[in-house]
Amino acid sequence: MATGTVCMETAPSATIPEPAPDAPPRRAAWLCMAASACSGILLWGCFQPLSLGAYLGWIALVPLLVLVRSQARPRWIYGCAFVGGLSFFGPALQWMRYADNLMVAAWAMLAFYCSLYFPAAIFMIRRLERWRLPLVVTVPLVWAALEYLRCFLMTGFSWYLLAHTQHDVLSMIQITDLGGVFLVSALVALVNAFLFEWVCQYPQVRRCFNLAETESRNLLPQGVVVAAFLIGTCGYGVYRLGQNEFQTGPTVCLLQSNLDVRIRNDAARPQNDGNSAKVVVEHFGALCRGAALHSSTKPDLLIWPETSFPRAWIEVSPQLPIEKVPMEWRDGEASIRDDLRLLAGTYTRMPHLLGINTHYLDENGDHRHYNSALLVNRAGNVDGRFDKMHRIPFGEYVPLKDWLPFLKALAPFDIDHGIREGEKFTRFPLDKFHFGVLICYEDTDPFLARHYATPNDDGPAVDFLVNMSNDGWFDGSSEHEEHLAVSRFRAIECRRSMVRAANMGISAVIDGNGRVLKPMPYLGTDPPVWIVPDDPAMRAELPMSEWHQFKQVAGILQAAVPIDQRFSFYVLAGDWLPIGCWLFLFGAGGVALVRRRWLPSHLKEGN
């Protein structure tokens, strides 16, 4: 009986498979999944519409970092990281669906693509763990490197960077003029990494998530370093924000339209019923009259939103023999020049910077289509043209359309609106000043704006920047506020003020410290006119809580541009930080490869 009892007790244990020694408990694995999703939700809360990044940005990555030490299977770890990315980018990018029903697919694809950077980050940080480097080194290094990659790979997507969580904490983002937006991202990642290391000191946390044991580290030196970085950043920010006595520049009127983009697109079609074109002409006619009649002082320049002028600019290369120019091109070129002389020289008698479509017939007789900014002087003659350089995938071109024709179905238009890339950073003259133009999302690109802040073959360094944008695709969504938030970093990076004229979005004046200057209503005119005071002592910052009041409304914003001529190390040195991060990562990868291939096995194990 005793023997039988023993058999009955041991037999079941022999039939139940024992888990592998390194297999984590199922509960801990699911907690890692929940932690990763929690990071995604916290990151989403950092941005519009909640805009809690000033607080949540410093802790949002902490739950995600449990995956660095997790003992779960690698596929599970990287799957959890992807879920974290998707729980962030999925809801954050939902405004894309407003543009067109077809953009739902583009939204899903972009969210999927951006989410891949989360498992990539975890993979790289876990690899660097073998070097016994502290997370306060590896996390900022990897995060800045991958954000840099995302900003230019496949034309780049430079929204929702970790730095952008702090856009409204101006004292924390003044270091952008030292290392660009990536330096701010690295700082925020640094704090997140330190907080994770601090939390991991508790055995209960390690057991809960089944985290690998690491050699005990004294966090006091790390804490001192983190505190020094934060204090130094705030000190530098306070110092820079105290430099706010800027020279008074030219007076500009920003025309903010409020037109559904579908009306504008229909008006641009060669075959339209005329009603849409009439709506566009009347809408901007009222804005131009308001700018000419109700401005407190005569503006030096009227700035239109992107592609808002109801006619296209037509130009033929002078190198193309006249006999090869089709008659409709000759007539079109003459007609649009006459219209511009009538607009600027007769109707308003002031210069215009037009957002306009350009059709150009080159020296070979090939037709090129550009998204352009056209400067028309007081006499109605054209003084210069800038063609957009950073095209938006599926909005302005279809990537790989010759190899993968089915991708055309993801574009939100039924005719070929594809545009060519511009080739020149045009410096526009305005009296004794010069300015450069960024069209649409070019003001979110950290690589373009700084080219204007230095003299080169295209002309002298500019005194201020102009952004022309058509945010009418997104119909009052959080995209409008987010677009304005991101553009603040370009002003600080270059130490140049930026003025923005937007359709349906938020037109604004941003000084070289990243302040969005508060406009004041003027005489209750219709359309409304808002004035930014010329006196620096009377200028105030527009609180982010009031931004929404200036979107989806037509009006005119007038301001004397603050001219900031301060030096920016970032303009001089460029993206030294993320490039240095990549050099380190490639170097570490090369060393690891050499060790794996050439060192004897017993030396590998010893290390």
Side-chain angles (χ1 to χ4, degrees), residues 315-322 325 333 337 360-363:
E315 185 174 349
V316 178
S317 170
Q319 280 75 43
L320 183 65
I322 188 67
V325 180
E333 187 175 30
R337 290 181 185 273
Y360 181 72
L361 203 62
D362 67 14
E363 63 275 8

Side-chain angles (χ1 to χ4, degrees), residues 11-291:
S13 64
T15 59
I16 298 175
E18 292 288 341
D22 60 345
R26 181 174 298 181
R27 178 174 175 273
W30 282 106
L31 284 175
C32 287
M33 174 76 78
S36 183
C38 178
S39 268
I41 295 170
L42 289 174
L43 281 170
W44 172 76
C46 291
F47 298 93
Q48 297 289 339
L50 298 184
S51 297
L52 300 174
Y55 313 102
L56 298 183
W58 304 101
I59 63 171
L61 295 184
V62 173
L64 177 72
L65 293 178
V66 301
L67 300 177
V68 174
R69 305 263 171 83
S70 172
Q71 298 185 84
R73 298 184 185 277
R75 284 184 297 179
W76 181 264
I77 290 172
Y78 302 125
C80 289
F82 178 78
V83 168
L86 202 60
S87 62
F88 168 41
F89 286 107
L93 294 172
Q94 57 82 30
W95 47 262
M96 291 180 62
R97 62 189 172 86
Y98 283 76
D100 191 273
N101 292 333
L102 293 174
M103 290 297 288
V104 172
W107 165 31
M109 289 178 61
L110 183 59
F112 181 91
Y113 162 71
C114 291
S115 299
L116 294 175
Y117 284 87
F118 277 54
I122 296 300
F123 172 80
M124 296 167 75
I125 297 169
R126 284 174 66 91
R127 289 288 177 177
L128 291 173
E129 280 278 279
R130 300 178 181 181
W131 292 61
R132 298 184 176 90
L133 293 173
L135 290 182
V136 293
V137 173
T138 60
V139 173
L141 186 151
V142 168
W143 208 270
L146 288 176
E147 284 194 343
Y148 177 76
L149 181 66
R150 177 159 66 85
C151 283
F152 77 83
L153 193 62
M154 295 189 295
T155 76
F157 182 68
S158 48
W159 291 57
Y160 299 104
L161 306 183
L162 201 55
H164 296 160
T165 64
Q166 304 304 308
H167 77 90
D168 208 37
V169 189
L170 292 180
S171 61
M172 296 302 300
I173 65 174
Q174 297 303 307
I175 58 172
T176 304
D177 74 343
L178 300 177
V181 68
F182 307 106
L183 182 57
V184 182
S185 287
L187 177 66
V188 179
L190 171 74
V191 175
N192 275 272
F194 175 76
L195 292 177
F196 173 74
E197 288 278 35
W198 176 68
V199 170
C200 273
Q201 296 296 302
Y202 293 92
Q204 302 92 322
V205 174
R206 297 196 299 270
R207 288 196 299 269
C208 181
F209 293 99
N210 193 28
L211 304 183
E213 294 291 338
T214 58
E215 61 182 53
S216 179
R217 290 192 178 102
N218 184 359
L219 292 185
L220 180 59
Q222 295 185 27
V224 170
V225 171
V226 172
F229 273 112
L230 289 174
I231 293 171
T233 297
C234 287
Y236 182 78
V238 171
Y239 166 70
R240 279 302 208 181
L241 289 172
Q243 301 172 332
N244 55 14
E245 295 182 3
F246 305 130
Q247 177 187 351
T248 300
T251 299
V252 298
C253 269
L254 308 172
L255 305 184
Q256 177 168 302
S257 54
N258 186 31
L259 284 174
D260 189 302
V261 73
R262 295 158 189 83
I263 295 176
R264 171 65 189 90
N265 287 349
D266 185 61
R269 295 173 186 269
Q271 297 177 342
N272 63 77
D273 58 9
N275 292 328
S276 297
K278 182 179 179 181
V279 169
V280 173
V281 169
E282 291 179 351
H283 190 80
F284 282 97
L287 291 175
C288 287
R289 286 192 298 272

Side-chain angles (χ1 to χ4, degrees), residues 18 78 84 106-107 144 199 262 272 284 349 375-376 387 403 406 453 498 520 523 559 584:
E18 292 288 341
Y78 302 125
W107 165 31
V199 170
R262 295 158 189 83
N272 63 77
F284 282 97
R349 298 181 183 178
L375 180 61
V376 183
D387 300 321
W403 294 348
F406 68 89
M498 177 185 290
M520 308 299 292
L523 297 179
F584 177 87

